[in-house]
Amino acid sequence: MFRRWLDDLPLGLAPLLIAAMGLVAGLYLLLHPVQRGEADLSMWVFGPLHADAYKMAAEDFSVRTDHTIDVQLINYNAVNQKLRSALWAAVNIPDLVEIEKSAAGGFFRGPLAKVGFLDLKPYLVRDHILDRVPANSLATYTERGAIFGLPHDIHPVMLAYRADIVDPYLARRGLRMEDLATWGDYFRELRGLCTAGQRYLLQIEHGDAWAFQIFLMQRGGGIFGPGGRLRMDDDTAVQTMTWMIPLVAESGDNQVAESLGNWDPSFYRGLIEGFYIAVLCPDWRTSQLEAFAGDLHGKMRLVPLPAATPGGLRTSQMGGTMLGIARSARNPELAWQFARQIYYGSPQQHGQLFRTTNIITPDRQAWNDPAYHEPRPYWCNQVLGEQFIALADAVPPFYSSGFLPTAQAKLNEAIVACYGRYRSHGVEGFEAYVRQRLTSAADYVRRQMAREPDWDAEE
């Protein structure tokens, strides 16, 4: 009889079991509600250095205000899923949370009144902070006029190069790196240093979109534009791909860029051994080079990126973190006061973080701290802070989207395909192939966007 009863279930046994488990879990939570900690506010952070700094700031905040902050370090890969689950279930939502910028767009969808974060624009206006922050740094976290996140950083991109190799070579030609204003100048004037299989002029990973996105934004493009408009297949993207791929896909002496990896030890080994003499370098990567390529102490320098065309942009951007305050925060004003302390607090606090990470804060008032004006021996005594600050207002905007991970995955596929096509067929018909591949990738993303419920519709 039981078997017959199972056969009569309209959707089968599995949905029944899932529903039963959901019912049991719901009853358990009803009888054993999740208890918030004893602290007045909770905060989730995925960066260990951030967590250490914020715990110290929380102690100071507690002394000044008699309110406590529980700063919790959450694994980078887990924080987004945990936050999404918390928001959906309305359970155990942190009062403040830091998330990586590429994931931010996914949390800003739907009617503005139902976004899980507070609109922080009124606070920024009230406390006269908007003018202290480069406008483009807010673009990622601005959605339909609301600002749901505070930018922790700007991340200008420069070119880090082997000064011990490049500078003497250029000096013999009466040139300096600062004279090479465009990528065309760079590859032409340094061509004599390039030897197939032994030394290349730039590190570019041709298996992912990391370098491509840097070049794309330098040219004024992007995967998404304002308002979540997908633009990964527009003319700027096609021109960027058509220019970049031959750098790594040409054969013999015509190949000027190569990679041994982007993040693992082989990346640093390639630079130390002079296999490539320059790398694309956001501010945060300079500290990684200092830590993992110590052999290059006193041999590296930084210059603004050569422009795509004369007079063009001399920087780009890569990476970033935002701080949001949950709409459900127990005490929004108190959460804002702590957010203000750690993001727009003392210049000394930001200066100390810069000495540790080389990451410049978007808060202009902190740029007068001595930490940003100290020469750095690793970088041939260049004043690292002033180098990046000079580019801060030129950093192009980055527009996020809930579909960014899908678009980046399809872009990776297109890059690999274009690399293979150029290796096998050369320049013949390459631009048309690039356009076809990017259009195909973008169409896939557009179909996914069309299939989603109309989350962005206002009620």
PDB file of all heavy atoms in Angstrom, residues 149-163:
ATOM      1  N   GLY A 149      27.478  50.765  -0.996  1.00  0.00           N
ATOM      2  CA  GLY A 149      28.756  50.332  -0.438  1.00  0.00           C
ATOM      3  C   GLY A 149      29.751  51.468  -0.392  1.00  0.00           C
ATOM      4  O   GLY A 149      29.735  52.382  -1.222  1.00  0.00           O
ATOM      5  N   LEU A 150      30.629  51.414   0.601  1.00  0.00           N
ATOM      6  CA  LEU A 150      31.731  52.373   0.706  1.00  0.00           C
ATOM      7  C   LEU A 150      32.973  51.728   0.098  1.00  0.00           C
ATOM      8  O   LEU A 150      33.311  50.596   0.450  1.00  0.00           O
ATOM      9  CB  LEU A 150      32.001  52.714   2.172  1.00  0.00           C
ATOM     10  CG  LEU A 150      30.822  53.229   2.999  1.00  0.00           C
ATOM     11  CD1 LEU A 150      31.251  53.421   4.453  1.00  0.00           C
ATOM     12  CD2 LEU A 150      30.297  54.530   2.413  1.00  0.00           C
ATOM     13  N   PRO A 151      33.676  52.416  -0.796  1.00  0.00           N
ATOM     14  CA  PRO A 151      34.883  51.820  -1.379  1.00  0.00           C
ATOM     15  C   PRO A 151      36.022  51.816  -0.370  1.00  0.00           C
ATOM     16  O   PRO A 151      36.327  52.844   0.234  1.00  0.00           O
ATOM     17  CB  PRO A 151      35.186  52.740  -2.569  1.00  0.00           C
ATOM     18  CG  PRO A 151      34.586  54.058  -2.187  1.00  0.00           C
ATOM     19  CD  PRO A 151      33.386  53.758  -1.334  1.00  0.00           C
ATOM     20  N   HIS A 152      36.616  50.656  -0.206  1.00  0.00           N
ATOM     21  CA  HIS A 152      37.770  50.543   0.686  1.00  0.00           C
ATOM     22  C   HIS A 152      39.049  51.010   0.007  1.00  0.00           C
ATOM     23  O   HIS A 152      40.002  51.403   0.677  1.00  0.00           O
ATOM     24  CB  HIS A 152      37.935  49.083   1.129  1.00  0.00           C
ATOM     25  CG  HIS A 152      39.180  48.809   1.918  1.00  0.00           C
ATOM     26  ND1 HIS A 152      40.381  48.455   1.328  1.00  0.00           N
ATOM     27  CD2 HIS A 152      39.427  48.894   3.254  1.00  0.00           C
ATOM     28  CE1 HIS A 152      41.292  48.301   2.280  1.00  0.00           C
ATOM     29  NE2 HIS A 152      40.742  48.555   3.446  1.00  0.00           N
ATOM     30  N   ASP A 153      39.047  51.005  -1.353  1.00  0.00           N
ATOM     31  CA  ASP A 153      40.288  51.212  -2.090  1.00  0.00           C
ATOM     32  C   ASP A 153      39.988  51.758  -3.476  1.00  0.00           C
ATOM     33  O   ASP A 153      38.813  51.908  -3.860  1.00  0.00           O
ATOM     34  CB  ASP A 153      41.053  49.879  -2.206  1.00  0.00           C
ATOM     35  CG  ASP A 153      40.065  48.709  -2.254  1.00  0.00           C
ATOM     36  OD1 ASP A 153      39.138  48.762  -3.103  1.00  0.00           O
ATOM     37  OD2 ASP A 153      40.177  47.775  -1.458  1.00  0.00           O
ATOM     38  N   ILE A 154      41.037  52.026  -4.242  1.00  0.00           N
ATOM     39  CA  ILE A 154      40.891  52.515  -5.613  1.00  0.00           C
ATOM     40  C   ILE A 154      41.586  51.568  -6.591  1.00  0.00           C
ATOM     41  O   ILE A 154      41.092  51.284  -7.655  1.00  0.00           O
ATOM     42  CB  ILE A 154      41.504  53.925  -5.761  1.00  0.00           C
ATOM     43  CG1 ILE A 154      40.959  54.886  -4.704  1.00  0.00           C
ATOM     44  CG2 ILE A 154      41.199  54.485  -7.144  1.00  0.00           C
ATOM     45  CD1 ILE A 154      41.631  56.233  -4.710  1.00  0.00           C
ATOM     46  N   HIS A 155      42.767  51.119  -6.230  1.00  0.00           N
ATOM     47  CA  HIS A 155      43.554  50.178  -7.005  1.00  0.00           C
ATOM     48  C   HIS A 155      43.933  50.665  -8.403  1.00  0.00           C
ATOM     49  O   HIS A 155      43.599  50.030  -9.431  1.00  0.00           O
ATOM     50  CB  HIS A 155      42.834  48.832  -7.115  1.00  0.00           C
ATOM     51  CG  HIS A 155      42.656  48.137  -5.786  1.00  0.00           C
ATOM     52  ND1 HIS A 155      43.584  48.229  -4.765  1.00  0.00           N
ATOM     53  CD2 HIS A 155      41.665  47.329  -5.322  1.00  0.00           C
ATOM     54  CE1 HIS A 155      43.162  47.525  -3.735  1.00  0.00           C
ATOM     55  NE2 HIS A 155      41.999  46.977  -4.034  1.00  0.00           N
ATOM     56  N   PRO A 156      44.640  51.803  -8.490  1.00  0.00           N
ATOM     57  CA  PRO A 156      45.188  52.202  -9.796  1.00  0.00           C
ATOM     58  C   PRO A 156      46.190  51.148 -10.276  1.00  0.00           C
ATOM     59  O   PRO A 156      46.873  50.510  -9.468  1.00  0.00           O
ATOM     60  CB  PRO A 156      45.903  53.527  -9.494  1.00  0.00           C
ATOM     61  CG  PRO A 156      45.488  53.917  -8.113  1.00  0.00           C
ATOM     62  CD  PRO A 156      45.079  52.682  -7.409  1.00  0.00           C
ATOM     63  N   VAL A 157      46.283  50.992 -11.574  1.00  0.00           N
ATOM     64  CA  VAL A 157      47.228  50.034 -12.163  1.00  0.00           C
ATOM     65  C   VAL A 157      48.389  50.795 -12.798  1.00  0.00           C
ATOM     66  O   VAL A 157      48.172  51.755 -13.550  1.00  0.00           O
ATOM     67  CB  VAL A 157      46.544  49.145 -13.227  1.00  0.00           C
ATOM     68  CG1 VAL A 157      47.556  48.168 -13.836  1.00  0.00           C
ATOM     69  CG2 VAL A 157      45.388  48.378 -12.604  1.00  0.00           C
ATOM     70  N   MET A 158      49.617  50.373 -12.456  1.00  0.00           N
ATOM     71  CA  MET A 158      50.811  50.938 -13.087  1.00  0.00           C
ATOM     72  C   MET A 158      51.583  49.802 -13.749  1.00  0.00           C
ATOM     73  O   MET A 158      51.159  48.642 -13.735  1.00  0.00           O
ATOM     74  CB  MET A 158      51.678  51.652 -12.040  1.00  0.00           C
ATOM     75  CG  MET A 158      50.975  52.822 -11.353  1.00  0.00           C
ATOM     76  SD  MET A 158      52.058  53.770 -10.258  1.00  0.00           S
ATOM     77  CE  MET A 158      53.077  54.666 -11.442  1.00  0.00           C
ATOM     78  N   LEU A 159      52.702  50.142 -14.337  1.00  0.00           N
ATOM     79  CA  LEU A 159      53.580  49.141 -14.947  1.00  0.00           C
ATOM     80  C   LEU A 159      54.806  49.002 -14.052  1.00  0.00           C
ATOM     81  O   LEU A 159      55.548  49.969 -13.840  1.00  0.00           O
ATOM     82  CB  LEU A 159      53.997  49.577 -16.346  1.00  0.00           C
ATOM     83  CG  LEU A 159      54.763  48.532 -17.166  1.00  0.00           C
ATOM     84  CD1 LEU A 159      53.835  47.369 -17.555  1.00  0.00           C
ATOM     85  CD2 LEU A 159      55.361  49.158 -18.429  1.00  0.00           C
ATOM     86  N   ALA A 160      55.009  47.818 -13.487  1.00  0.00           N
ATOM     87  CA  ALA A 160      56.204  47.535 -12.690  1.00  0.00           C
ATOM     88  C   ALA A 160      57.235  46.857 -13.600  1.00  0.00           C
ATOM     89  O   ALA A 160      56.911  45.888 -14.277  1.00  0.00           O
ATOM     90  CB  ALA A 160      55.845  46.624 -11.520  1.00  0.00           C
ATOM     91  N   TYR A 161      58.450  47.364 -13.599  1.00  0.00           N
ATOM     92  CA  TYR A 161      59.418  46.823 -14.549  1.00  0.00           C
ATOM     93  C   TYR A 161      60.795  46.654 -13.913  1.00  0.00           C
ATOM     94  O   TYR A 161      61.095  47.262 -12.875  1.00  0.00           O
ATOM     95  CB  TYR A 161      59.513  47.720 -15.790  1.00  0.00           C
ATOM     96  CG  TYR A 161      60.222  49.038 -15.578  1.00  0.00           C
ATOM     97  CD1 TYR A 161      61.573  49.192 -15.909  1.00  0.00           C
ATOM     98  CD2 TYR A 161      59.550  50.134 -15.050  1.00  0.00           C
ATOM     99  CE1 TYR A 161      62.226  50.401 -15.724  1.00  0.00           C
ATOM    100  CE2 TYR A 161      60.193  51.342 -14.861  1.00  0.00           C
ATOM    101  CZ  TYR A 161      61.524  51.476 -15.204  1.00  0.00           C
ATOM    102  OH  TYR A 161      62.177  52.674 -15.006  1.00  0.00           O
ATOM    103  N   ARG A 162      61.620  45.838 -14.535  1.00  0.00           N
ATOM    104  CA  ARG A 162      62.978  45.558 -14.072  1.00  0.00           C
ATOM    105  C   ARG A 162      63.881  46.737 -14.462  1.00  0.00           C
ATOM    106  O   ARG A 162      64.429  46.799 -15.568  1.00  0.00           O
ATOM    107  CB  ARG A 162      63.485  44.261 -14.700  1.00  0.00           C
ATOM    108  CG  ARG A 162      62.864  43.001 -14.123  1.00  0.00           C
ATOM    109  CD  ARG A 162      63.408  42.700 -12.730  1.00  0.00           C
ATOM    110  NE  ARG A 162      64.864  42.546 -12.737  1.00  0.00           N
ATOM    111  CZ  ARG A 162      65.488  41.391 -12.954  1.00  0.00           C
ATOM    112  NH1 ARG A 162      64.781  40.287 -13.159  1.00  0.00           N
ATOM    113  NH2 ARG A 162      66.806  41.334 -12.952  1.00  0.00           N
ATOM    114  N   ALA A 163      64.059  47.670 -13.523  1.00  0.00           N
ATOM    115  CA  ALA A 163      64.853  48.867 -13.811  1.00  0.00           C
ATOM    116  C   ALA A 163      66.310  48.519 -14.081  1.00  0.00           C
ATOM    117  O   ALA A 163      66.985  49.206 -14.868  1.00  0.00           O
ATOM    118  CB  ALA A 163      64.749  49.840 -12.629  1.00  0.00           C
TER     119      ALA A 163
END
